[in-house]
Amino acid sequence: ISFNCVDSFLSSLKNCQSYINTGMDIATRVALDLVESFNDVEDVNSMENVMLEYAAMDRELNHYMKAMEETVNQIKREKPENIPDLKCLVREKFTALESQNSDSDLQKNEKYMYFKDQLKEMRKQCKSFCRQSDNDNETIEQIDEDIAVTQSQMNFICPITQMEMKRPVRNKVCGHTYEEDAILKIIQTRKQQKKKVRCPKIGCSHADVKGSDLVPDEALKRAIDSQNKQ
C-alpha cells in the first residue's frame, strides 16, 4: 500500500496549523493594542474568544492528524492482505479522541496561555505608565507612584547586559526577562561547552535555561517603547 498521498495530505494539514498559529499571534497583538489604547474590556474579551476558537481548531486539527498517523502506523504494522477502509478507520480514531475533549484543554493551549500572560503584563505596564495623572493627587500618592514607576523601569534592564532591553524575551520556567541576543549567545556558548545555563537574574535558582523556554515579551517591549517616547 502506498501512503504517498497520505503524507502529502498530512503536510497540507501542518501548513493549516501554521496559519492557525499566525492567526493567534495576530489576535494577541490586537488584544495588546486594545489594552494599550484603553479600549473597552468587552473588546478585549472578544479577542480572548477568538483565541479560544483558534485553540479549538488547533485541537481538532491535532486530533485528526494523530488519528491519521495512528491508522497508517497500524496498517503498516499489521500488513493486511486487503486494502482497508482508511477513511472509516481514521474517522473512528478521530471520534474517540474528540470524545475526550474538555474546556480545560483549550485553556492549556500554549498560545492561549501566552496570550493571557501578555495581557496580564500589559495591564500592569499600562497601570504604571499609561494612566493619566490626576492633578488632584496628594503628594504622598505621587511619591508612591514615582516609586512604582522606578521599580518598573528597573525591569527594563537586562540582567546580562545591564542595559535597557530592546528585544526582551521571557523565560517561561522562572518568569525572568533578558535581552534576546544576549541570552541566546550565552546558551550557544554553554552548549558548545556542554554545560547548562543558570538564569542570570540574581537570586533565581533555575539552572537550566533553554532556548525553547524563551518567548517574546511583547508587553514589556511596548512598555519600554512607551516610556522612551515620553
Side-chain angles (χ1 to χ4, degrees):
I1 302 173
S2 175
F3 294 101
N4 289 337
C5 60
V6 175
D7 292 337
S8 177
F9 186 59
L10 283 172
S11 179
S12 297
L13 290 179
K14 288 177 182 177
N15 284 334
C16 290
Q17 198 165 38
S18 70
Y19 298 146
I20 291 175
N21 288 334
T22 299
M24 296 181 89
D25 290 339
I26 293 172
T28 299
R29 289 197 293 270
V30 170
L32 293 178
D33 287 340
L34 292 171
V35 173
E36 195 172 22
S37 304
F38 296 100
N39 280 59
D40 192 81
V41 174
E42 188 176 337
D43 293 332
V44 179
N45 289 342
S46 69
M47 296 312 301
E48 182 171 352
N49 291 332
V50 169
M51 289 293 290
L52 288 171
E53 289 176 10
Y54 272 126
M57 285 190 285
D58 184 62
R59 179 180 62 186
E60 185 176 357
L61 197 58
N62 278 327
H63 282 169
Y64 194 80
M65 288 192 293
K66 184 177 181 180
M68 183 166 287
E69 288 170 350
E70 287 183 354
T71 300
V72 168
N73 289 334
Q74 179 184 338
I75 294 173
K76 287 180 178 179
R77 188 170 58 251
E78 296 177 355
K79 299 179 180 178
E81 294 182 5
N82 298 320
I83 298 177
D85 188 337
L86 185 62
K87 184 177 180 180
C88 182
L89 290 175
V90 170
R91 188 187 302 115
E92 287 178 1
K93 291 183 181 294
F94 173 73
T95 302
L97 289 169
E98 286 285 288
S99 67
Q100 300 172 14
N101 287 348
S102 69
D103 292 339
S104 62
D105 295 339
L106 305 182
Q107 309 285 337
K108 295 175 184 176
N109 179 280
E110 188 172 350
K111 290 276 187 181
Y112 176 77
M113 292 171 65
Y114 175 75
F115 169 87
K116 294 290 286 185
D117 175 69
Q118 287 292 286
L119 276 187
K120 179 181 177 182
E121 291 300 316
M122 193 75 235
R123 288 184 173 118
K124 283 200 298 187
Q125 298 297 347
C126 284
K127 185 176 180 181
S128 297
F129 297 103
C130 305
R131 185 175 53 199
Q132 291 293 330
S133 297
D134 186 347
N135 293 329
D136 297 328
N137 278 345
E138 296 292 337
T139 302
I140 187 66
E141 292 178 349
Q142 186 61 49
I143 291 174
D144 287 342
E145 184 173 340
D146 289 343
I147 291 174
V149 170
T150 301
Q151 290 175 337
S152 294
Q153 286 176 323
M154 290 175 63
N155 294 329
F156 294 173
I157 305 301
C158 172
I160 303 169
T161 66
Q162 293 302 310
M163 296 176 64
E164 184 178 270
M165 290 179 279
K166 295 180 180 179
R167 297 179 62 183
V169 289
R170 178 184 297 275
N171 190 324
K172 293 187 293 184
V173 178
C174 63
H176 293 127
T177 52
Y178 333 96
E179 180 65 53
E180 183 179 30
D181 289 343
I183 188 64
L184 290 179
K185 185 176 181 180
I186 290 178
I187 291 174
Q188 182 62 30
T189 300
R190 296 286 186 180
K191 184 178 180 180
Q192 292 173 350
Q193 298 171 345
K194 296 183 178 180
K195 295 181 179 179
K196 294 182 179 180
V197 179
R198 176 175 289 278
C199 175
K201 187 73 173 180
I202 296 176
C204 183
S205 60
H206 183 45
D208 190 12
V209 180
K210 299 176 181 176
S212 58
D213 293 330
L214 305 177
V215 293
D217 197 328
E218 180 66 21
L220 182 57
K221 184 179 186 305
R222 287 171 181 241
I224 294 172
D225 292 343
S226 176
Q227 179 64 21
N228 289 335
K229 288 178 182 177
Q230 293 178 18

